[in-house]
Amino acid sequence: MNSKETWLITGCSSGLGKALATETLAQGKNVVVTARNPEKVVDIVKNYPATALAAQLDVTDEASVKAAINAAIEHFGKIDVLVNNAGYCLRGAVEECAQDEIYREFDTNFFGAVRTIQAALPYMRKAKKGVIINFSSIAALDTSAGSAFYGATKCAVEGMSDGLRKEVGPLGIKVIVIEPGPFKTDFFYRSIDVNPNNIADYAETAGKRKVKLRELDKAGVSGWGDNTKAAKVIIEAAENPDPPFRLLLGSLAVKMGEEYARQRAAEVERWKSLSIKTDADK
């Protein structure tokens, strides 16, 4: 049996997925480096012929998912860490977006993760160990106008992950949700799908978000994260015997997490007297 830790990472052609695949290989681990087009990950695997395996994986295609999982087992004999990183953002107001666009967003960001988890879990259960890492976003804490459905998919990922960890924790399997702040990747251009409908009443809210950004330095965002540092942090969390369930990445993400907790606690307190009126009489 291969003694090296084996990772399978989805969405490795760019961004945090590419950085994580590169760093895990540099640390001497086995890595199944996946993308819808495996040719886009050749530059990652070429320097690690003994520990890297490039595999085609489209998370919206169940047959593709199963084939990639099977390839990992056949090549390395196990999957110790599964990383669900693949995803994209649909930009548009709730009223503007068509149902087929919404379904595609959920099919990739949510059901894609479900497919890989269901395919990998039989092997993790048999081994009585494993780590499942699901990428969420700070959008699950504070969703911007124009990104409602993206935020909704990430909230769904977090809710599913919370139930999952309670199911698989007793079996020796850990679950981690990653909540990244902004990182300088091509996500803001390549992974943005802009809805073509434009309702004038949303021009100053969702309409301002319906853009793709190539020049991130001109985006007016501060607090960008470093991709390689993020990869190192994720690996450190995965290898911790008692890892966090939710892991924020970056100072901006931490500030948003703190503000989210403060606002939620304040809202609960403000409306508590109304909330408890629903209690049945004793």
Side-chain angles (χ1 to χ4, degrees):
M1 177 64 69
N2 197 320
S3 61
K4 289 180 179 288
E5 193 174 70
T6 298
W7 289 52
L8 187 148
I9 306 169
T10 70
C12 294
S13 61
S14 64
L16 288 172
K18 183 174 183 177
L20 186 56
T22 301
E23 182 61 28
T24 47
L25 285 166
Q27 291 191 18
K29 306 176 194 304
N30 297 322
V31 184
V32 184
V33 184
T34 78
R36 284 181 297 177
N37 180 0
E39 292 181 2
K40 292 186 177 181
V41 298
V42 170
D43 62 324
I44 303 174
V45 304
K46 65 182 180 182
N47 294 324
Y48 301 94
T51 57
L53 173 67
Q56 194 275 338
L57 197 163
D58 178 351
V59 297
T60 67
D61 183 343
E62 187 171 1
S64 173
V65 170
K66 289 182 177 179
I69 296 292
N70 289 339
I73 297 301
E74 290 175 7
H75 195 79
F76 293 120
K78 59 178 182 170
I79 298 172
D80 297 297
V81 183
L82 169 66
V83 181
N84 283 304
N85 165 70
Y88 74 98
C89 177
L90 170 64
R91 290 273 172 88
V94 169
E95 186 180 353
E96 293 172 336
C97 293
Q99 288 194 9
D100 62 337
E101 291 178 304
I102 301 164
Y103 291 151
R104 285 197 301 271
E105 178 86 332
F106 272 86
D107 199 24
T108 300
N109 294 5
F110 176 70
F111 289 108
V114 172
R115 290 184 187 98
T116 63
I117 289 167
Q118 290 183 335
L121 269 177
Y123 302 102
M124 289 185 173
R125 285 191 293 105
K126 184 177 180 180
K128 301 298 182 186
K129 66 183 181 70
V131 181
I132 296 171
I133 299 175
N134 294 327
F135 268 73
S136 178
S137 167
I138 52 174
L141 306 178
D142 186 3
T143 304
S144 300
S147 297
F149 293 113
Y150 176 71
T153 65
K154 295 307 184 180
C155 288
V157 166
E158 295 210 5
M160 178 269 292
S161 299
D162 198 12
L164 175 66
R165 70 182 177 121
K166 294 161 187 171
E167 296 167 357
V168 301
L171 308 177
I173 302 166
K174 301 177 177 67
V175 178
I176 301 172
V177 168
I178 304 296
E179 296 175 329
F183 283 80
K184 284 190 175 181
T185 73
D186 62 0
F187 176 90
F188 295 94
Y189 185 85
R190 180 180 168 198
S191 298
I192 299 292
D193 188 2
V194 177
N195 169 272
N197 301 321
N198 293 294
I199 297 174
D201 284 343
Y202 300 121
E204 295 303 308
T205 53
K208 289 187 173 181
R209 297 272 296 169
K210 296 174 77 171
V211 294
K212 295 186 176 187
L213 301 173
R214 281 195 184 275
E215 299 182 63
L216 297 178
D217 289 325
K218 298 180 181 180
V221 176
S222 59
W224 292 104
D226 181 281
N227 295 341
T228 300
K229 288 182 178 180
K232 292 178 186 292
V233 165
I234 293 168
I235 295 168
E236 183 177 343
E239 294 181 341
N240 192 299
D242 184 23
F245 169 54
R246 291 183 177 91
L247 179 64
L248 294 156
L249 294 184
S251 297
L252 179 61
V254 169
K255 289 179 182 178
M256 289 182 66
E258 291 172 339
E259 182 63 15
Y260 172 85
R262 186 195 67 77
Q263 289 184 3
R264 184 64 192 271
E267 186 176 50
V268 170
E269 184 61 28
R270 179 184 178 189
W271 295 102
K272 181 169 63 176
S273 61
L274 182 62
S275 298
I276 63 177
K277 286 184 178 180
T278 61
D279 293 351
D281 295 333
K282 294 181 181 179

